[in-house]
Amino acid sequence: REAHFGLRGSNRADIKIRWPNGAEQEMGEFSANQSLHFVQNLILGDPSPGQTGMVNDLVITGGDPGSEIVLTMGINAGVKAIPECPGVSLDIKRARRMDLELADSIGVATLSANVAPILAGRTVLFQAYERGSCRTSNLVAFTFPAAP
């Protein structure tokens, strides 16, 4: 969609976008008299219920409807190139692909995975990317509670 805005004599504006799926994105401050193009980020939430030894859901919003969303995980932050996306990297060193899911009609994908009990008390990194567009999500660092 295209939108035009007037700034009523100001020469700068802070831009915040509320996307159709309800996600909000702070874009920052921009000067007047220019054309800007924004693309919604993929947004990855924390694992739910956030416990080891059971299936956890990870929800990604902001995808293109029908697109393939790939979820990756790892333990160490770093850089890992995405082979199918030249010039695009994940923020997880030695990221391991967990699952692939199609985004629904509003661009949401829910990926479910069993979290091994050995991960109790450890911080795990999660990040997703969209095949085709090569957009990446935020990096989620989640510490699973230690076993009682």
Side-chain angles (χ1 to χ4, degrees):
R1 297 181 198 174
E2 191 171 308
H4 297 269
F5 301 92
L7 300 181
R8 292 188 178 226
S10 178
N11 60 1
R12 301 194 66 72
D14 285 315
I15 298 177
K16 179 178 181 179
I17 298 173
R18 181 173 293 124
W19 296 99
N21 68 356
E24 292 186 1
Q25 193 172 347
E26 299 274 346
M27 307 311 289
E29 186 178 63
F30 295 90
S31 310
N33 300 317
Q34 62 177 315
S35 295
L36 303 168
H37 177 80
F38 297 109
V39 177
Q40 183 178 7
N41 290 339
L42 295 180
I43 300 169
L44 174 60
D46 286 347
S48 177
Q51 300 289 322
T52 60
M54 63 181 58
V55 173
N56 280 254
D57 292 333
L58 289 113
V59 178
I60 299 101
T61 60
D64 292 331
S67 65
E68 294 178 329
I69 307 291
V70 177
L71 180 65
T72 66
M73 69 163 289
I75 302 297
N76 299 309
V79 176
K80 162 89 173 171
I82 303 172
E84 61 197 279
C85 299
V88 179
S89 298
L90 296 169
D91 300 318
I92 304 172
K93 186 176 185 179
R94 293 190 297 275
R96 193 185 87 187
R97 181 175 160 168
M98 291 180 58
D99 202 358
L100 179 142
E101 186 68 42
L102 294 179
D104 65 15
S105 62
I106 60 169
V108 175
T110 301
L111 296 113
S112 300
N114 189 41
V115 177
I118 196 167
L119 295 174
R122 298 209 52 194
T123 299
V124 179
L125 306 176
F126 297 96
Q127 193 169 20
Y129 70 93
E130 184 177 67
R131 294 179 77 186
S133 75
C134 294
R135 292 185 297 144
T136 60
S137 75
N138 55 303
L139 178 68
V140 170
F142 188 84
T143 303
F144 288 95

